[in-house]
Structures are given as C-alpha cells and as structure tokens.
Amino acid sequence: MKDQLPANRQNAIKIFQAGLQAVAPGAAIKNVCHLDQSILSVDGQKYDLDTYSSILIIGAGKAGSSMGKAVEDILGDRISKGLIVVKYDHLEELKTIKIHEAGHPVPDQNGLEGAQAIYRLASSAKEDTLVLCLISGGGSALLTLPVEGGTLEDKQETTQVLLSCGATIHEINAIRKHLSLIKGGGLAKAVYPATLITLILSDVVGDDLDSIASGPSVPDSKTYADCQAIFKKYAITKDIPESVRRHIESGIAGNIAETPKPGQEFFRKTQNVIVASNFNALLKAKEKADELGYNTLILSSMLEGETREVAAIHIAIAREIHSHGYPLQKPACLLSGGETTVRIQGNGKGGRNQEFALAAAIKMAGMKNSIVLSAGTDGTDGPTDAAGAIVDGRTVERAVKAGLDPQQYLDNNDSYHFFDKLNDLFKTGPTHTNVMDLRIILIL
C-alpha cells in the first residue's frame, strides 16, 4: 500500500486552518455588528449612536488587535478613544485604538499598567457614553488589577501554583476574579451607568460568560468559599501566598464585599455577545474534512481533563476505527476541541497540545497511515513558540532510531524538546484568534 503519511499530514493542517478561518475575529465581529447610518445593530439589538456623547473601546486578550481593527472598520471616526491590552507581538496596525502589550499566561508589570489605564478609561465613562469591550482568550492574565492590599507578585505566584497543579481554567479564573478589581464584573461596575457592549471570542469550555477572561463584564457565579475549596481540592493551600489566603478568608468571613452578583444594578445596561467559539471552528473543520473525503465525527467541543488521559481515550477510539471500522469507516477523521490540563511533574518544556501529541504517539505506535495534530488556535502552546505538534504511527519508531526515549520525555513534561529533535513541532506564529484547542485524528 502506498505510504499515505505525507498527504495525510498536509490534510490535517488544511483541516486545522479551515477551523481557524471560521473564528477569525474580524469576520466574526462583522457577522454580529452592522452599522446603518447612525444605527448600530449588535446581535439584533439596536443602538442609535447619535444619542451618545462619546464611544470608548476597551478590551483585553490575544485576539484584541484583530477585534479592534474590525470595530474600527465598522465605526471609523465615531470612536473617541480606545485601549486594548494584548499579548506581546500579537499586533495589528490600528488608527484610533491604542494597543498595550503585556505578559501571558503569567501577568507582568506591563499588564498591571495596562489594566490600570483601562480601569481609568472605563471609570471616566458618563451616562451617555457607549463603551465597547472586546474580550478574548488571555484576558485574565492581561487584565491584572489586584484588589486593595494585593500585589502583582502575589498574583504571579498564585497563577504559577494553579497552572502547575492541574486546576481547570474555570477554577483558575474563580480565584483570579476574587483577587481583582476589574474581573468578575468589576469592569461593568466601573463603567456604570454608561452603556456597555461586550463582544467575546470564547476560549472556555461551555462558553461560560463569567469564565471567559474571568468575566469582567458579567456577574460572578463564584464565591470566596469556592476559592478556598479549590485550594483544598488540589492540596495547595500552603503554596498560596499568605496575603492571598488572608484575603479569601476575610471574604468568607464577610469582612470584604463579594464580587458583583446577578441582579445588581451594574448589569442593567450591558449586552454580552459571543461572536465565535470552539464549536464554530470544529464545524468548519468538519466541513473541510468531509470535502477531503474523510468520514468525520466531532467528538466534543467541551473536552477537559488530564491531557494524557484524554489522549489515551482519543487513541482508543482511533484504534477501534482502525481495527473494526467503528464508529466510522476508514478513511476517518475524528475532531475534538476544548482545553485539557497538564499536571507538571518534571522540569521540561512544553504545553498541553504537545503533551497530548506525545502521549498519543506512544499509544498509537504501529498504526500505519494515521495522524494526530493537536494545536492551540492562538498559535501558542504553553511557554513555547509552537502551537502544538503533529505525530503519526511511526513517531515512536523514528524517535527510538534517533536515540530518544518517548516515555522519558513525557515523564519529564519535555514534549517540546522531543518534537524539536524530530522536526514535528507545529508552528503557526500568532493567529490573532483564540478559541481553545483543536485536535485532528486521521485514520486510513
């Protein structure tokens, strides 16, 4: 049988790229926002721009620059002022809106300064001001504004502990909201009584509004007690900075006000719209896979859990297809999305997608003409310059011939250096969007 691996690798990349195109921020925003003379329609809700004294644009996230460009295309010189915080090098050339670069996933001083500037701009809004907030993945780290008595260092240390213990993004953001003036509805509180429209590119499983970028414009469903429960769940209480523990305990005792909750006046003049999500990307990816001749199944856009375990389940399904033609006949394409977590036990370098690919490669050893591509839609996987990695049934064989022990690299959480040596890293550069991860498995 003719070797199908090179063609399948290219097809996997084509399917991934099709998914990306479906969640391009510019097109997504223009699908829900339309301007007809002075009437701005946002997901069917109409605003007469002539009734507002000024229009402010604020926001944060990896897709912020592209989202800002789309809003400038729509509103033009009606925009009075704007500021968006983005991850370093995630840039577009804008006319009116200023871009402020900062650190992600661990917040830095630039993020603190950017959040302070956005908070001042939001607080300057008057009752007849229209504020458009542009939120995308990464916004939690990029909008860093500690509560009174909190410090940037405390937030950095807490973030590192949460990332390392395997906490989900929902759990991490629950903590972040209770350590911030701007998250968990804090931005809506600062803007009120102005009108606030938030356009959101979802990078959270289930598209929960109060988890995306830690919900700066929506009510917070979590409490201080929830935060303490998360610390206990992962047995990390002793690793959390003392000042953070004291703050959470004071909140539980009622000495500190809770984050804004449903029904409060701050949300009376707000509209929140998800413009694109992981499911949109999966639908377009499926369309492309069908076009390329694969029998395609979307497993889920909501997969969570430990990366290696999720990889094992994916490959078990792929092996069933490979051996028995169930639940799909070959040629087959399995698609999934969501965001897994990595429990860090080694001192290597990598990200959840590269770790998924390495764990999958070990499980699928010997499956001829089968491909796995796992990558982040934002073009960044963990603290690396790769979006993810691409593997096949011969990856382990190639590694052994090169003197590499795949299991040893996996145990050390060192997937980046493993794939770098095999030239199997998948690099896209910044994609200017972010709707979590896409996993593509092709079986012939």
Side-chain angles (χ1 to χ4, degrees):
M1 181 179 179
K2 186 178 179 181
D3 192 341
Q4 296 292 317
L5 285 180
N8 274 328
R9 281 185 172 241
Q10 289 303 313
N11 284 346
I13 292 170
K14 289 177 183 177
I15 293 167
F16 180 83
Q17 290 172 335
L20 278 188
Q21 291 171 6
V23 292
I29 285 178
K30 291 174 183 177
N31 281 339
V32 300
C33 296
H34 308 278
L35 183 63
D36 182 8
Q37 296 183 13
S38 69
I39 305 300
L40 176 66
S41 297
V42 181
D43 196 33
Q45 192 162 326
K46 299 185 184 303
Y47 301 85
D48 186 350
L49 301 187
D50 287 345
T51 64
Y52 297 98
S53 62
S54 62
I55 298 176
L56 304 179
I57 312 297
I58 56 177
K62 297 176 188 175
S65 294
S66 297
M67 296 178 81
K69 188 175 188 304
V71 169
E72 283 193 344
D73 288 344
I74 295 169
L75 298 179
D77 58 9
R78 286 182 177 271
I79 298 172
S80 306
K81 190 183 294 185
L83 177 63
I84 301 173
V85 183
V86 305
K87 182 177 179 178
Y88 292 114
D89 298 324
H90 286 54
L91 303 173
E92 294 269 4
E93 189 172 333
L94 304 182
K95 297 175 182 177
T96 305
I97 302 169
K98 293 183 179 179
I99 296 297
H100 185 96
E101 297 178 83
H104 177 279
V106 178
D108 65 3
Q109 182 64 30
N110 269 15
L112 174 61
E113 293 171 1
Q116 289 171 334
I118 283 179
Y119 195 77
R120 286 194 298 270
L121 185 57
S123 300
S124 74
K126 304 187 185 321
E127 188 167 5
D128 61 351
T129 301
L130 177 64
V131 181
L132 267 72
C133 181
L134 311 178
I135 293 296
S136 57
S140 288
L142 297 166
L143 274 182
T144 301
L145 191 60
V147 292
E148 186 176 350
T151 67
L152 173 61
E153 290 73 24
D154 287 341
K155 298 199 75 171
Q156 289 172 327
E157 187 175 346
T158 302
T159 301
Q160 288 282 25
V161 171
L162 291 166
L163 289 171
S164 298
C165 76
T168 68
I169 190 63
H170 299 277
E171 292 169 329
I172 293 172
N173 286 354
I175 307 299
R176 284 167 161 167
K177 286 184 281 188
H178 285 82
L179 302 179
S180 174
L181 288 176
I182 203 167
K183 301 181 179 76
L187 186 63
K189 182 178 179 180
V191 165
Y192 187 79
T195 299
L196 176 63
I197 303 169
T198 305
L199 305 178
I200 303 163
L201 199 66
S202 173
D203 74 325
V204 168
V205 171
D207 300 332
D208 296 331
L209 288 174
D210 69 337
S211 285
I212 303 167
S214 298
S217 61
V218 298
D220 182 17
S221 63
K222 301 300 181 183
T223 65
Y224 285 107
D226 292 323
C227 296
Q228 189 176 72
I230 293 167
F231 295 158
K232 291 180 179 179
K233 174 182 176 180
Y234 293 98
I236 57 173
T237 303
K238 67 181 186 309
D239 301 317
I240 298 296
E242 184 181 351
S243 61
V244 172
R245 296 200 306 269
R246 285 201 308 266
H247 177 76
I248 298 299
E249 290 165 0
S250 294
I252 293 173
N255 298 324
I256 300 173
E258 259 291 357
T259 47
K261 295 292 184 271
Q264 290 189 268
E265 62 178 353
F266 316 124
F267 306 107
R268 188 170 57 84
K269 297 171 66 178
T270 63
Q271 181 188 11
N272 295 284
V273 180
I274 293 179
V275 298
S277 68
N278 187 267
F279 189 65
N280 299 128
L282 285 172
L283 287 177
K284 186 59 71 172
K286 181 183 185 305
E287 185 179 306
K288 185 64 176 180
D290 291 343
E291 177 189 314
L292 291 170
Y294 297 96
N295 298 309
T296 311
L297 175 65
I298 295 176
L299 296 175
S300 176
S301 66
M302 302 184 187
L303 286 173
E304 297 179 282
E306 208 286 323
T307 300
R308 300 181 197 188
E309 296 172 2
V310 176
I313 293 170
H314 278 68
I315 300 306
I317 298 171
R319 282 194 172 277
E320 198 72 46
I321 293 170
H322 189 266
S323 298
H324 302 123
Y326 189 83
L328 297 173
Q329 292 291 322
K330 297 183 287 187
C333 173
L334 295 174
L335 299 172
S336 74
E339 188 168 294
T340 61
T341 54
V342 174
R343 185 176 292 276
I344 299 174
Q345 298 171 316
N347 58 6
K349 180 180 180 180
R352 60 183 179 269
N353 287 288
Q354 293 162 70
E355 181 132 338
F356 180 97
L358 180 51
I362 293 171
K363 291 289 186 181
M364 67 188 291
M367 287 178 62
K368 292 183 179 180
N369 300 325
S370 296
I371 296 287
V372 172
L373 169 59
S374 182
T377 55
D378 59 355
T380 304
D381 187 35
T384 75
D385 60 352
I390 186 166
V391 300
D392 56 55
R394 297 176 183 171
T395 296
V396 168
E397 179 186 342
R398 290 171 50 226
V400 171
K401 286 181 179 179
L404 307 176
D405 183 338
Q407 189 64 49
Q408 187 176 43
Y409 277 87
L410 183 62
D411 291 342
N412 194 37
N413 300 115
D414 200 18
S415 52
Y416 181 88
H417 291 116
F418 177 84
F419 289 122
D420 192 34
K421 293 177 188 298
L422 292 179
N423 199 31
D424 283 339
L425 290 170
F426 182 58
K427 296 184 179 183
T428 63
T431 62
H432 302 289
T433 190
N434 185 16
V435 293
M436 299 183 289
D437 305 327
L438 291 182
R439 292 173 286 271
I440 300 156
I441 303 178
L442 304 180
I443 309 108
L444 266 72

